[in-house]
Amino acid sequence: SAVISQKPSRDICQRGTSLTIQCQVDSQVTMMFWYRQQPGQSLTLIATANQGSEATYESGFVIDKFPISRPNLTFSTLTVSNMSPEDSSIYLCSVGVSSVYNEQFFGPGTRLTVL
Amino acid sequence: AQKITQTQPGMFVQEKEAVTLDCTYDTSDQSYGLFWYKQPSSGEMIFLIYQGSYDEQNATEGRYSLNFQKARKSANLVISASQLGDSAMYFCAMKNYGQNFVFGPGTRLSVLP
């Protein structure tokens, strides 16, 4: 298993500002992912954070809006840029584990409210 | 394309009783994994149980079991002896080889005292 921490755990931000969310893992992992969960909805994959190269974004998500960094195998950041109320969501970091199940472990999430 | 369907937006169950949460999936691949996650109100996602497409026996983990019917493409989660702490959102998910996880819309389970 992997222990994942996220900072901040929650934040309230003003429209037009940006917020950077940090994700720290207690062991080196190859695969790190960022998800968005809008209120009352399921999880949607934003991007796969690749170490040493640009993130791979899913359809509907772009680097200018959600820049991602992955400087090493234990850390990643997601920035939500030029925020609007529609960005109010839980943002979850997860890691893929090479195990019998190849499950994903998730961080505790960051609850973002944009006013 | 892969798709997960959970037809029960909300479910109620009496404490100490068993409950079944439905999940059906759609894929043309032969090799895939099915997962269930629990999300309490705190927001974290907790991995509960896994079923591989080639597994012949239904998966079990403590009070959780997975009723896997491959021909019907269903992977229902059964929780036995429900506890108040089981109240949460439950997500069914699928992962095909070389592809990302796909999550269902979730079922909100409320356990009544």
Side-chain angles (χ1 to χ4, degrees), chain A residues 37 42 45 58 101 104 111, chain B residues 37 39 41 50 100-101 104:
Chain A
Q37 186 179 23
S42 185
L45 180 65
E58 297 300 305
Y101 303 148
Q104 284 194 2
R111 288 180 183 270
Chain B
Y37 285 84
Q39 187 179 42
S41 56
Y50 166 87
N100 293 316
F101 270 67

Side-chain angles (χ1 to χ4, degrees), chain B residues 1-17:
Chain B
Q2 307 147 261
K3 185 179 179 181
I4 297 283
T5 302
Q6 295 178 254
T7 58
Q8 306 153 315
M11 289 280 287
F12 290 90
V13 63
Q14 208 68 40
E15 193 178 9
K16 300 181 184 177
E17 292 186 351

Side-chain angles (χ1 to χ4, degrees), chain B residues 5-103:
Chain B
T5 302
Q6 295 178 254
T7 58
Q8 306 153 315
M11 289 280 287
F12 290 90
V13 63
Q14 208 68 40
E15 193 178 9
K16 300 181 184 177
E17 292 186 351
V19 62
T20 298
L21 306 184
D22 294 341
C23 172
T24 58
Y25 59 92
D26 188 19
T27 180
S28 56
D29 291 345
Q30 297 301 311
S31 178
Y32 50 89
L34 296 159
F35 303 78
W36 277 91
Y37 285 84
K38 172 185 178 182
Q39 187 179 42
S41 56
S42 57
E44 63 186 304
M45 293 283 286
I46 303 167
F47 166 67
L48 295 178
I49 196 167
Y50 166 87
Q51 180 83 42
S53 59
Y54 294 116
D55 294 342
E56 295 186 351
Q57 294 201 331
N58 288 339
T60 61
E61 287 288 347
R63 294 188 297 112
Y64 304 108
S65 61
L66 203 151
N67 184 359
F68 181 47
Q69 299 187 42
K70 192 170 182 177
R72 293 186 174 186
K73 293 188 175 179
S74 75
N76 299 337
L77 176 70
V78 180
I79 305 175
S80 62
S82 297
Q83 302 172 356
L84 295 178
D86 294 333
S87 293
M89 283 290 290
Y90 288 81
F91 292 96
C92 180
M94 176 170 63
K95 186 182 186 314
N96 291 27
Y97 180 78
Q99 300 190 39
N100 293 316
F101 270 67
V102 173
F103 287 85

Side-chain angles (χ1 to χ4, degrees), chain A residues 31-108:
Chain A
M31 309 295 287
M32 290 183 77
F33 307 91
W34 287 99
Y35 287 85
R36 181 177 74 181
Q37 186 179 23
Q38 294 176 303
Q41 303 295 315
S42 185
L43 280 71
T44 302
L45 180 65
I46 298 172
T48 302
N50 303 309
Q51 194 268 329
S53 64
E54 277 195 6
T56 304
Y57 289 84
E58 297 300 305
S59 176
F61 297 95
V62 295
I63 188 171
D64 289 347
K65 176 66 176 177
F66 298 101
I68 288 172
S69 78
R70 178 90 192 269
N72 56 52
L73 292 175
T74 64
F75 186 79
S76 177
T77 67
L78 168 75
T79 298
V80 186
S81 303
N82 188 24
M83 289 183 286
S84 68
E86 291 71 36
D87 294 319
S88 297
S89 298
I90 299 175
Y91 292 86
L92 293 142
C93 167
S94 78
V95 301
V97 179
S98 295
S99 69
V100 174
Y101 303 148
N102 289 319
E103 69 268 36
Q104 284 194 2
F105 287 95
F106 286 82

